Amino acid sequence: MDSKDGSKKTILVVDDEPSILKLLNFILSSEYTLVIKTSGIEAIAWLEEGNDPDLIISDLMMPYFDGSTLIKNLKISGFYRNTPVILLSGADDLEDKVKEMPFKIDCFLEKPFNPTILKSHITQLLS
């Protein structure tokens, strides 16, 4: 998927699990520019530098600054309120957690996720 200027669209990936990061890199890097951060704090720092991803994929459960806190801060800021978000999580009650969030999540998938389904959601959200 290309952006208006012909370059690849950028996806910010925030996850603390090396195996998930490797998988996402493997299945997405040929089509998208991936920016990988291992914590919400790193992601916020990258965004504060003026970077503007086309989509954010975040783990829900991370130490110190979890995915819910990250997305809440981004949506409240106003700058990223229209940036699509995909949440990934191994939590058994993921659907309930998403329903309780005071902000919109565009998509959520339980780990382990099907790469084909993830790619389909990304294509939909970026079109």
Side-chain angles (χ1 to χ4, degrees):
M1 296 272 141
D2 293 337
S3 51
K4 293 173 194 151
D5 65 0
S7 62
K8 290 181 180 180
K9 292 203 176 202
T10 300
I11 298 176
L12 172 60
V13 177
V14 189
D15 201 308
D16 62 330
E17 291 182 48
S19 60
I20 295 295
L21 295 174
K22 285 180 185 177
L23 175 62
L24 291 172
N25 188 53
F26 179 76
I27 63 174
L28 299 174
S29 63
S30 65
E31 296 176 59
Y32 305 99
T33 299
L34 297 185
V35 176
I36 307 240
K37 300 298 176 188
T38 58
S39 74
I41 294 169
E42 285 181 15
I44 290 288
W46 181 79
L47 292 165
E48 285 179 345
E49 292 172 359
N51 296 297
D52 187 16
D54 296 291
L55 180 119
I56 299 170
I57 298 174
S58 179
D59 185 13
L60 181 60
M61 298 182 295
M62 294 180 287
Y64 311 115
F65 199 89
D66 66 9
S68 177
T69 304
L70 169 65
I71 303 307
K72 178 180 171 187
N73 280 298
L74 295 180
K75 297 296 183 180
I76 288 172
S77 78
F79 293 113
Y80 304 99
R81 95 172 114 240
N82 297 320
T83 303
V85 173
I86 297 175
L87 270 183
L88 303 176
S89 180
D92 294 332
D93 57 348
L94 179 59
E95 188 170 353
D96 292 335
K97 288 183 181 197
V98 168
K99 285 178 184 174
E100 293 171 5
M101 292 180 182
F103 47 84
K104 180 182 174 238
I105 297 297
D106 299 284
C107 174
F108 59 92
L109 297 171
E110 290 183 20
K111 294 178 185 177
F113 56 86
N114 180 322
T116 304
I117 292 173
L118 174 63
K119 287 178 82 171
S120 173
H121 284 295
I122 290 170
T123 301
Q124 279 184 310
L125 290 169
L126 292 178
S127 60

